[in-house]
Amino acid sequence: MLLAACAGESNFPTASGSSTFRIVNAIPTSPSIALLIEERSIAAAEYKGTSAPSEFDDLDYTFNFEAFLPGSAARTRLASMFVDTQRDLAYTFLVSGDLATPTITLWQQPLREWSATATVFAVRFAHAADSLGAVDMYFQAPGVAPVLGEQVATVQFGEESPAVDLPAADYVLTVTTPNDPNDVLFRSTVIKPAVAAGYSVTLFAADANDIDPIAVRLLADNGAEQRVVGENSTPLVRYFHATQNLATSDVYTDDMLMDQIIANHSYRDVTAELPLAAGSYTLTYTAAGNVGAILLEDDIAAVQGTKYEYYALGEAGSLGGFLWQPDRRPVETLAKFSFLHTATNHDTVDLYILSAGDDLAAASPRFVNLRIGSAPVNASLQAGDFELYLTPNGAKTVLAGPIAFSPALGDILNYLSYDNVDPAIADVVAIPLP
């Protein structure tokens, strides 16, 4: 018997267009979360962040969400979502809840093509702060007080409002409790959206890097991110006296040496976080009680809504300092470790981070050629028992160590090297969080 096959239509789906896909990470203690379309990685986002959009045909897909978890060399699948996509839509996956069993919320909006003559921008208002109830959001000109009925959106956690078109101008975001414009939870500094662009003004839960009670991001549809800070969010600075070559000092922020911010700042002293209005300053260190004896001058600039650490350091005759923005957000899958070398008796050093009991002679340093005044180095560690050693660069002579420590997941560990009275050794000291 002869069988003949008949030609027919393909069983494969046919695309009629395309759509875009991106991720927003709203889990406060999470590592970076990856977005996969089927088994292909297309994006990733840190907490309070988003990804650039990826464009694909309007077919049906299973989207997967993965992250690196403790004890695994490969990413672990956290969740999946099937989506029968439609053409000309922008899809955003909001990842929230617990890292072990995250909640995936799908936002979608029409894709927009902007004309060259556009004079407006499009903005949506989203709520990704799981610790916050429903809110009213006002988006108005600077100086305009919110009035009930003029809110641009009322949103609960997990919601994003439809887009509204607004003319190019300066705006201020005000967040209040529902139906009470006088109960202000957050009011921003001036926001300047660009014309012919789409944005999502998104609320997140504040973390240890934030000063405001709510963290706000202006997430552009192209993946760009802008931090939105509160109008009264004064910068905070913690000051470190980190050189034995600087005498006990008073510290001033004005040219006339009238605005004293610290008195009797001595070697190894670490202050609390002190407010400093946003702007540019010359920090002046004088001998304690003697404004006529200037010991150190350094120009710094502080940005509103930012936490800093300032380190006074250096050798005699070349004193200086630098302003540093620390990362204090805990991540539940790792411990964050930082180290700063300030011990002037030892120009360059190597730092070893060894598992407890490992032989220093057979080990390689984690960080090499660390110089005085270079920025702190950072590492991610797993939970366990470790030992620190500090040696001269390229040598195994022990300057400090073994210093035992046992981080837990989520810990923030900060260490400094200081000079010891014995110039042949150094002290490595743990600096607690403020």
Side-chain angles (χ1 to χ4, degrees):
M1 179 180 294
L2 181 64
L3 298 179
C6 297
E9 295 183 358
S10 169
N11 290 325
F12 290 103
T14 302
S16 62
S18 63
S19 289
T20 64
F21 308 90
R22 67 173 181 167
I23 181 175
V24 171
N25 183 348
I27 302 179
T29 58
S30 76
S32 177
I33 296 178
L35 171 65
L36 294 80
I37 186 167
E38 301 293 348
E39 299 302 320
R40 176 180 175 181
S41 294
I42 61 171
E46 301 286 347
Y47 177 56
K48 294 184 289 192
T50 188
S51 63
S54 297
E55 184 175 353
F56 288 91
D57 289 340
D58 59 331
L59 304 174
D60 56 320
Y61 304 101
T62 297
F63 292 88
N64 298 303
F65 305 85
E66 297 182 346
F68 285 101
L69 300 184
S72 177
R75 288 193 308 243
T76 297
R77 185 148 298 171
L78 308 174
S80 299
M81 173 179 279
F82 175 82
V83 182
D84 183 5
T85 68
Q86 306 298 313
R87 63 178 294 178
D88 299 329
L89 291 178
Y91 292 92
T92 299
F93 297 93
L94 176 70
V95 185
S96 61
D98 297 322
L99 187 63
T101 57
T103 299
I104 311 298
T105 304
L106 183 60
W107 297 335
Q108 60 188 58
Q109 58 165 324
L111 282 173
R112 181 127 178 209
E113 292 187 6
W114 295 93
S115 72
T117 58
T119 59
V120 300
F121 63 92
V123 61
R124 308 174 304 281
F125 298 87
H127 188 333
D130 58 4
S131 58
L132 188 65
V135 295
D136 285 345
M137 301 174 74
Y138 297 81
F139 207 59
Q140 300 166 302
V144 176
V147 175
L148 188 62
E150 295 181 0
Q151 60 267 42
V152 70
T154 299
V155 286
Q156 300 188 51
F157 174 70
E159 293 181 342
E160 184 182 55
S161 73
V164 295
D165 285 358
L166 295 174
D170 292 347
Y171 291 87
V172 168
L173 171 72
T174 304
V175 181
T176 74
T177 53
N179 300 314
D180 189 352
N182 295 314
D183 187 14
V184 175
L185 304 175
F186 175 91
R187 181 176 288 120
S188 75
T189 52
V190 172
I191 304 170
K192 299 176 180 288
V195 298
Y199 300 92
S200 176
V201 176
T202 306
L203 310 184
F204 294 92
D207 61 44
N209 290 331
D210 294 305
I211 295 174
D212 294 306
I214 303 171
V216 183
R217 295 293 184 270
L218 185 67
L219 303 179
D221 290 350
N222 64 5
E225 304 172 12
Q226 179 182 330
R227 185 172 62 127
V228 178
V229 300
E231 63 175 358
N232 296 317
S233 184
T234 301
L236 297 174
V237 186
R238 189 161 68 146
Y239 298 85
F240 291 69
H241 187 313
T243 173
Q244 64 178 348
N245 301 302
L246 176 65
T248 298
S249 304
D250 297 334
V251 185
Y252 299 85
T253 57
D254 66 314
D255 293 339
M256 300 301 294
L257 302 184
M258 300 291 291
D259 187 9
Q260 185 186 96
I261 59 171
I262 310 171
N264 296 312
H265 195 35
S266 59
Y267 183 45
R268 299 198 186 194
D269 182 30
V270 181
T271 72
E273 289 185 311
L274 303 178
L276 181 69
S280 297
Y281 298 88
T282 298
L283 286 181
T284 303
Y285 285 64
T286 72
N290 183 3
V291 294
I294 295 176
L295 307 176
L296 182 158
E297 291 181 302
D298 191 24
D299 294 332
I300 65 168
V303 176
Q304 194 151 359
T306 306
K307 294 183 179 182
Y308 296 99
E309 293 174 346
Y310 181 81
Y311 299 89
L313 40 73
E315 305 201 28
S318 59
L319 296 174
F322 69 89
L323 196 65
W324 175 256
Q325 188 174 337
D327 177 14
R328 299 179 188 150
R329 180 180 74 91
V331 174
E332 63 187 89
T333 59
L334 52 86
K336 292 181 178 179
F337 172 94
S338 76
F339 174 82
L340 175 64
H341 176 46
T342 72
T344 56
N345 285 329
H346 311 282
D347 289 339
T348 59
V349 296
D350 295 340
L351 179 70
Y352 293 77
I353 306 176
L354 306 184
S355 294
D358 282 358
D359 182 11
L360 174 65
S364 297
R366 186 67 172 264
F367 299 101
V368 299
N369 199 30
L370 300 180
R371 296 181 178 275
I372 297 166
S374 58
V377 292
N378 300 282
S380 297
L381 303 176
Q382 292 300 307
D385 297 322
F386 296 90
E387 292 174 338
L388 294 180
Y389 289 89
L390 197 67
T391 72
N393 177 229
K396 296 287 186 178
T397 305
V398 176
L399 301 176
I403 300 164
F405 69 107
S406 300
L409 298 178
D411 280 354
I412 308 292
L413 309 166
N414 301 308
Y415 286 85
L416 266 69
S417 65
Y418 288 123
D419 282 311
N420 188 279
V421 291
D422 180 353
I425 62 175
D427 294 334
V428 173
V429 177
I431 305 296
L433 293 173

